[in-house]
Each structure stands twice: as structure tokens, then as C-alpha cells.
Amino acid sequence: MAGDLSRTVDSSLRRHVSEQRVSHRDRDQAVEILRVAAGDGRLTIAELDERVEAAMAARTASDLAVLTADLPLEGMPPQAREVIRIDQRFGEGKRTGRWLVPRRMEIRLKFSDLKLDFTEAVITHDVLHIEVDLRIGGNLTLVTAPGIVVDADDVTYSRGEIKIHPLPGPEEDPVRLRVLLSGRSTGGDIVARRPRRTPGQWFRRRTGAAPAPSVPSA
């Protein structure tokens, strides 16, 4: 009798949890998991779009659970920070490799250079807001990749330059991240560019030569 009662209670609790209404935060977390999985090649773009749409329309915990049930949760990056603040004077700073892109950045530079390299960054959401305050000698460089769009229309500047280099490739590349810059520059430069080519890549581009085949070792 006690065992039957325990099974009945456990079943009732599981059903209650699965039918709980989800919040906007719950939906956002599920979408982040889906986008990371797509970035790792576990989901196609079509699958990502379909599941994201379903996640945003989900009402209960079970609606969300089925969307991530076939994806490994172990090893997922921690949740992105809401804001990262960088106040840098003199010297150089950089974010490279598999750094976790936050939702917002506040950057203040004077007589210093900062590089944000997105080519291997872990991107778990689709918009990054960057507020800049660039004083004399404060330069910001964004190294982009396909699917990353930079918009600096809301930056006001009295000195310095803003150079946003478009990425080559088909216009139908899906947008993974929009970087929206705002703030002011009174003496610094903002540059958004693609990664620099290696000497070998420059040679092949100029000559049209194919990459040299690898020779197996004896």
C-alpha cells in the first residue's frame, strides 16, 4: 500500500512540474541552448529556426523539455553575463578565443587599444549592445565572422574614424549576432573588419593556386 501511494505521489509531482507555466527567462534559456547546439553543428539552420519558434511559443515546462531532450546539456557554457564593463587607460586589451559574449558591454578607452575577436567566441544570444566612450588615443577593433553584423550609426564622434568593413560572401548568410554600438568618440577609432589573411592565403588569392597537398611522413 505504501509503495502504491509513493508511486502515485511521484507521478503526480512529475505531472505537476511538467505542466508548470514557463517564464520569458525560461524560454530565453532554452533558446540559448538551441543556439549553442547549432553553433556546434548539432542542429541545422532549419532545425534551429523551427525549434526557436516553438520555444518562444512554449507555455509549459514539458513544451520546452521536448525541444532540448536530444541535446547534451553537459559542457554547455555558463549563462552569459548581463554586462561587462571595461575602463582601460594605456596599454592593450583583447578578448579572443572562446570567450563568452555578454548581452551588453560598457567600454571606456583612453590612450589604449581594445580588440574584440568574435571568430571563435561563444554566442548564446542574437544582440550585443556596446556603449563606448573613446577618448583621445582610445581605439576599438571588432574582428567579425560570417553572420555577425556591426551597426555603429548611434555613435557620435568629433575626432577619429569609424570603419565598418562588410564581410564577403552571400547575402543570405544567417545573422548570428548583431553588434549595436552607441555612445561617443572624442579621439578614438572604431574598426570592424574580417580576420587578417595569412601570407599563404594572400599568395593563393593573388595567384589562384590551390593549397599545397600534405605529404605523409615516412
Side-chain angles (χ1 to χ4, degrees):
M1 177 68 68
D4 293 340
L5 178 60
S6 177
R7 284 193 295 270
T8 301
V9 172
D10 288 345
S11 176
S12 177
L13 285 174
R14 286 195 296 270
R15 185 168 58 253
H16 174 68
V17 171
S18 67
E19 294 175 354
Q20 282 185 344
R21 293 281 181 153
V22 294
S23 65
H24 292 310
R25 182 179 180 86
D26 295 328
R27 296 185 187 95
D28 290 343
Q29 289 177 342
V31 169
E32 289 183 4
I33 292 173
L34 294 172
R35 287 185 174 140
V36 171
D40 290 340
R42 301 181 188 277
L43 296 175
T44 66
I45 296 300
E47 289 173 327
L48 174 63
D49 291 342
E50 180 181 359
R51 295 195 189 194
V52 167
E53 183 177 356
M56 299 309 295
R59 294 185 177 183
T60 66
S62 59
D63 293 337
L64 289 180
V66 70
L67 299 175
T68 58
D70 58 345
L71 301 175
L73 301 184
E74 298 80 4
M76 284 291 179
Q79 186 175 352
R81 291 176 57 180
E82 186 65 29
V83 59
I84 289 180
R85 296 180 176 87
I86 299 176
D87 189 344
Q88 183 175 302
R89 301 185 181 187
F90 304 99
E92 298 182 358
K94 59 184 178 180
R95 295 286 194 279
T96 60
R98 290 184 59 81
W99 64 288
L100 184 60
V101 177
R103 295 181 179 276
R104 187 162 57 93
M105 300 186 76
E106 297 175 2
I107 297 175
R108 183 177 182 180
L109 304 176
K110 184 176 182 179
F111 293 114
S112 61
D113 298 328
L114 176 65
K115 180 171 73 173
L116 303 178
D117 189 337
F118 293 94
T119 54
E120 298 181 14
V122 178
I123 300 171
T124 59
H125 47 279
D126 54 8
V127 178
L128 167 61
H129 294 273
I130 301 180
E131 183 177 350
V132 299
D133 182 3
L134 306 183
R135 306 299 177 90
I136 184 169
N139 304 312
L140 175 64
T141 299
L142 310 175
V143 182
T144 59
I148 297 178
V149 178
V150 178
D151 183 343
D153 290 346
D154 288 337
V155 176
T156 59
Y157 62 100
S158 56
R159 294 181 182 178
E161 296 181 323
I162 297 179
K163 298 180 180 179
I164 309 297
H165 296 281
L167 283 170
E171 294 181 354
E172 60 268 17
D173 280 342
V175 176
R176 298 189 294 128
L177 178 68
R178 295 185 184 277
V179 182
L180 305 179
L181 292 100
S182 61
R184 64 177 181 172
S185 172
T186 56
D189 295 338
I190 298 175
V191 176
R193 61 170 176 81
R194 55 186 179 270
R196 300 193 187 282
R197 293 186 178 91
T198 65
Q201 289 173 328
W202 275 109
F203 175 78
R204 289 193 294 272
R205 182 172 182 269
R206 293 177 64 88
T207 63
S214 58
V215 179
S217 57

